[in-house]
């Protein structure tokens, strides 16, 4: 019985930690979508979310993308996000980190991919 209670307690702790570590989307201002056009300076294709460093005419942004499996399933391959690639992103700005945005969709070349 003690072992089972310890396992339940440990499982609850791990679940709470995972939930806390994953941020919610409420920290992004979904009432004000912005369209950014720029050049990829850096890209990451790892869990829990892919990301970009996008240089626009006036600023360099950190763009939070979808999880890699979703991007691949919707047609956005890792190779499409190479450094130097020109993209257009519709995204929502983070309320607390003014340089960070959450991407809703991305256009690479003539292909637009919905990320949410």
């Amino acid at each position: 019985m003690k072992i089972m209670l310890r396992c339940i307690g440990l499982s609850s702790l791990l679940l709470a930690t995972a939930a806390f570590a994953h941020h919610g989307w409420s920290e992004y201002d979904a009432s004000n979508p912005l369209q950014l056009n720029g050049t990829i300076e850096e890209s990451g294709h790892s869990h829990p979310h892919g990301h970009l460093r996008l240089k626009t005419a006036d600023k360099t942004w950190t763009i939070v993308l979808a999880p890699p499996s979703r991007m691949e399933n919707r047609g956005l391959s890792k190779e499409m996000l190479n450094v130097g690639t020109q993209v257009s992103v519709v995204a929502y700005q983070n309320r607390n980190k003014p340089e960070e945005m959450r991407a809703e969709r991305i256009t690479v070349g003539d292909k637009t991919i919905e990320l949410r």
Side-chain angles (χ1 to χ4, degrees):
M1 182 68 166
K2 279 186 175 183
I3 292 174
M4 188 167 72
L5 289 175
R6 285 184 182 158
C7 287
I8 291 171
L10 181 59
S11 296
S12 297
L13 179 62
L14 290 173
L15 190 60
T17 301
F20 180 74
H22 187 272
H23 56 83
W25 294 129
S26 64
E27 64 190 81
Y28 296 91
D29 184 4
S31 69
N32 187 27
L34 299 174
Q35 181 164 346
L36 306 174
N37 299 303
T39 305
I40 297 174
E41 290 191 329
E42 174 188 318
S43 69
H45 203 262
S46 59
H47 288 284
H49 302 284
H51 74 277
L52 300 175
R53 296 278 299 156
L54 185 67
K55 179 148 181 72
T56 64
D58 59 345
K59 188 173 182 173
T60 299
W61 297 87
T62 298
I63 309 293
V64 178
L65 301 171
S69 57
R70 183 181 309 153
M71 291 190 295
E72 292 284 338
N73 288 339
R74 295 192 178 170
L76 182 62
S77 68
K78 181 179 182 178
E79 295 74 30
M80 293 171 72
L81 301 176
N82 287 330
V83 171
T85 302
Q86 297 286 314
V87 298
S88 177
V89 179
V90 174
Y92 307 119
Q93 192 167 16
N94 189 302
R95 298 175 199 276
N96 302 310
K97 300 175 191 170
E99 73 288 345
E100 182 179 288
M101 304 203 54
R102 175 183 70 95
E104 186 71 21
R105 74 185 58 86
I106 186 169
T107 301
V108 183
D110 61 353
K111 186 172 186 173
T112 299
I113 298 98
E114 296 292 328
L115 298 174
R116 301 288 161 227

